[in-house]
Amino acid sequence: MLRLYVISLLTCFFIAYMVIEWGETFFSILIIQPFLFIVLILNAERIDIFSNKKLGIFHAAKGNALAAIGSLLVPGRVTELLKPIYYKTKVNLSISEGLSIVLLERIFDIFIVTLMLLGLALFMPTYGIGQYIPPYLLISIILAFTLLLILVAFYPYFFTNIIRIITRGRLRAWLIEMFDHFHKGLPQGLSIKQVLLTITVWFGSWLTYWIFLQFDGQIALSWSASLSVFLAATFGLALTITPGGIGTFEAIVSTLLITYGYTWESALISTIGLRIASFLPNLILALYTVCFEGFDLIMEMRIKAKSSGGLDE
């Protein structure tokens, strides 16, 4: 009870400080929460479809939240592994199938983000990062991913043969099993509903950035400028070796906002506000999962290691 009281008290002080010092930014954080919640649910639906409806939207959302919040503690994208571990504990989904879901999700994410970057570079080349990215590079990435998906869909034996050549024993069997799940899940990712969901999730995320930047008390950025900020923030979170992109995210987004006319102080406040706003829904879900469901990552990993030597059967 004492811990809960202290946490509640600190939270109240933090909110009071935000209202007094960051009034308009705090309003921006609050106003985009319903939109972020909708995006969170739609993204969970995407993940559930990749699992062939084995997870359920709620479990998919909680696994995603654990990975997002865990990234604040561990550098890189290592916490993506939290998803299959959580799925294993809740619906007994194998780790190999859980990892295949993560791979499918990320491949389609990279594809749509690259398309958004290409649109920015071709049609709005003077906006932020659009002027620094050559379109031919983005087209090459899109073609490479398209070729990869075609090979996986129509020539799966090419990849299984490579796995058989370079691996042995249980690792070979495990990788082949994971690839088999990946191959079976690929058509689901290419379904009309899934494509529309992916587009809606990413364009909805862009919308939340635009709304935030309209009400943060600074310069009301255009759709194009907001897209540039959103994509820069995405790369700041993904391409980093620091936990949660801390430092990288703030440096990239703040610098970009300054080029659009923000002062250094207002750019930093808005950048921190964007980070807080985007993490709040995931933080609530992750806390619920840990505090009320009792999910214990360290304990789950120990159990897994004892029962199967670290790999799924």
Side-chain angles (χ1 to χ4, degrees), residues 170-227:
R170 293 187 64 190
L171 178 61
R172 173 197 285 176
W174 188 80
L175 288 174
I176 290 176
E177 180 186 352
M178 185 176 71
F179 177 78
D180 184 56
H181 288 305
F182 180 87
H183 177 251
K184 290 177 180 177
L186 187 57
Q188 296 165 355
L190 296 172
S191 67
I192 294 176
K193 180 180 179 180
Q194 190 73 315
V195 170
L196 290 175
L197 274 173
T198 300
I199 293 172
T200 303
V201 164
W202 281 97
F203 277 76
S205 299
W206 170 20
L207 173 65
T208 62
Y209 267 63
W210 178 79
I211 294 172
F212 181 97
L213 295 168
Q214 301 307 299
F215 295 99
D216 66 344
Q218 307 303 322
I219 299 168
L221 297 187
S222 66
W223 286 98
S224 307
S226 299
L227 175 59

Side-chain angles (χ1 to χ4, degrees), residues 294-310:
F295 178 75
D296 188 330
L297 173 62
I298 296 176
M299 182 62 67
E300 294 295 340
M301 291 182 70
R302 285 177 178 172
I303 294 172
K304 182 62 187 167
K306 289 179 179 178
S307 63
S308 64

Side-chain angles (χ1 to χ4, degrees), residues 9-211:
L9 190 63
L10 290 174
T11 302
C12 290
F13 276 122
F14 177 72
I15 292 174
Y17 173 81
M18 289 281 289
V19 171
I20 295 171
E21 297 294 330
W22 291 12
E24 291 168 316
T25 303
F26 182 70
F27 178 72
S28 287
I29 292 173
L30 291 181
I31 201 172
I32 67 171
Q33 291 308 307
F35 299 96
L36 288 172
F37 179 76
I38 293 171
V39 169
L40 184 149
I41 295 300
L42 292 175
N43 191 50
E45 172 68 9
R46 283 180 65 216
I47 298 171
D48 190 33
I49 290 174
F50 279 131
S51 74
N52 199 23
K53 294 292 186 176
K54 296 176 184 177
L55 287 173
I57 293 177
F58 197 34
H59 287 323
K62 288 184 289 183
N64 198 57
L66 286 170
I69 299 304
S71 68
L72 291 173
L73 306 174
V74 181
R77 307 299 298 180
V78 177
T79 53
E80 290 290 294
L81 296 174
L82 283 173
K83 294 181 184 180
I85 294 173
Y86 180 74
Y87 302 155
K88 174 71 175 177
T89 63
K90 290 302 172 183
V91 295
N92 201 30
L93 202 70
S94 68
I95 298 295
S96 58
E97 186 170 2
L99 281 174
S100 72
I101 292 170
V102 172
L103 287 174
L104 284 165
E105 181 192 356
R106 290 304 168 221
I107 283 178
F108 282 97
D109 284 346
I110 292 171
F111 197 87
I112 190 66
V113 169
T114 307
L115 284 175
M116 294 172 80
L117 275 169
L118 181 60
L120 189 67
L122 287 177
F123 303 108
M124 297 164 272
T126 59
Y127 282 93
I129 60 175
Q131 60 187 310
Y132 302 112
I133 302 175
Y136 68 83
L137 174 62
L138 299 172
I139 294 173
S140 299
I141 294 173
I142 292 170
L143 291 175
F145 271 98
T146 302
L147 178 61
L148 174 64
L149 294 179
I150 291 172
L151 286 174
V152 171
F154 296 102
Y155 304 98
Y157 59 84
F158 173 77
F159 296 93
T160 54
N161 286 339
I162 291 176
I163 293 172
R164 288 190 176 96
I165 291 171
I166 65 176
T167 60
R168 293 287 184 273
R170 293 187 64 190
L171 178 61
R172 173 197 285 176
W174 188 80
L175 288 174
I176 290 176
E177 180 186 352
M178 185 176 71
F179 177 78
D180 184 56
H181 288 305
F182 180 87
H183 177 251
K184 290 177 180 177
L186 187 57
Q188 296 165 355
L190 296 172
S191 67
I192 294 176
K193 180 180 179 180
Q194 190 73 315
V195 170
L196 290 175
L197 274 173
T198 300
I199 293 172
T200 303
V201 164
W202 281 97
F203 277 76
S205 299
W206 170 20
L207 173 65
T208 62
Y209 267 63
W210 178 79
I211 294 172

